[in-house]
Amino acid sequence: MNNLGEGFSSEQSASALASNPSDIRVVSRRNFLLTGLVAGAGFYVGAGEAIAKSASGSTPAGRLSAPAQGVTDQDREYMRLAIRHMRQAGVVDKTGGPFGAVIARAGKVLAVAGNSVARDHDPSAHAEVNAIREACRRLGTIDLSGSVLYSSCECCPMCYATAYWARIGKIYYAAAWTDFDDLFDDANISQDMAKPYPERALAPQQILQGEAQPVWQEFRKIPDGARY
């Protein structure tokens, strides 16, 4: 018997969910700009190409990644579950776009979710973000080290960054950006973020740096300040 189950949803209490998180380690995020969301022109160099590597091609120090391996039947099973929720969200329930996501670790499903942007009036309620939030709530942690994200579609920059901050070790996806670029502009966002600030659509501009810096100086002195 597998531990998925038809019709599993994030609202249900299912025996498939892992109840005991593994040991948690908080690690430095200083390599984020090299490996995460805004790695210059190298970021998201194209749909379907490998991402999330540091400048040296290695995993950032301290990061717990899922072991590299070939695609298994279980991987395909988890992806099919994500695709079912993709259809449920976009075609049946119409809670948002057709996107679904599953997070699993050590053979157990941590969370399953669909896109709920339209239902929740929340532009951040992508399937991957919803799944990450649910997994973290259920496990009582912000650290999903060693887990795998199965996304029905190639992650947008926001979802990729959220998975990175959650320390998810591996991402599998089904549909590519090119499969739905007539409807959603994921590729355009990634291309925009590779541009210099003044050339971006939102043109980020720095102001009042001197007033923000003292807060960081205060924060550094707090022994129990949040580190993630």
Side-chain angles (χ1 to χ4, degrees), residues 141-227:
T141 180
I142 58 173
D143 190 329
L144 300 179
S145 293
S147 62
V148 178
L149 169 62
Y150 299 86
S151 176
S152 67
C153 302
E154 190 171 2
C155 290
C156 75
M158 176 184 72
C159 293
Y160 177 78
T162 305
Y164 187 94
W165 284 107
R167 297 180 177 81
I168 285 174
K170 173 71 176 177
I171 296 176
Y172 289 103
Y173 67 94
W177 286 344
T178 51
D179 292 321
F180 52 89
D181 59 4
D182 58 319
L183 299 171
F184 294 93
D185 60 355
D186 299 64
N188 291 336
I189 295 172
S190 71
Q191 292 165 7
D192 183 66
M193 295 194 71
K195 298 176 182 178
Y197 281 177
E199 298 177 18
R200 296 185 190 182
L202 304 184
Q205 184 174 351
Q206 187 175 36
I207 61 173
L208 299 182
Q209 180 183 15
E211 295 184 24
Q213 287 175 331
V215 180
W216 278 112
Q217 295 169 3
E218 287 184 88
F219 182 78
R220 286 188 178 91
K221 298 176 183 178
I222 302 174
D224 58 349
R227 298 290 190 275

Side-chain angles (χ1 to χ4, degrees), residues 49-78:
E49 293 191 26
I51 53 179
K53 291 186 178 180
S54 68
S56 64
S58 60
T59 301
R63 184 178 178 84
L64 300 179
S65 298
Q69 61 181 9
V71 178
T72 67
D73 288 340
Q74 187 173 64
D75 291 326
R76 295 184 180 91
E77 191 174 12
Y78 290 150

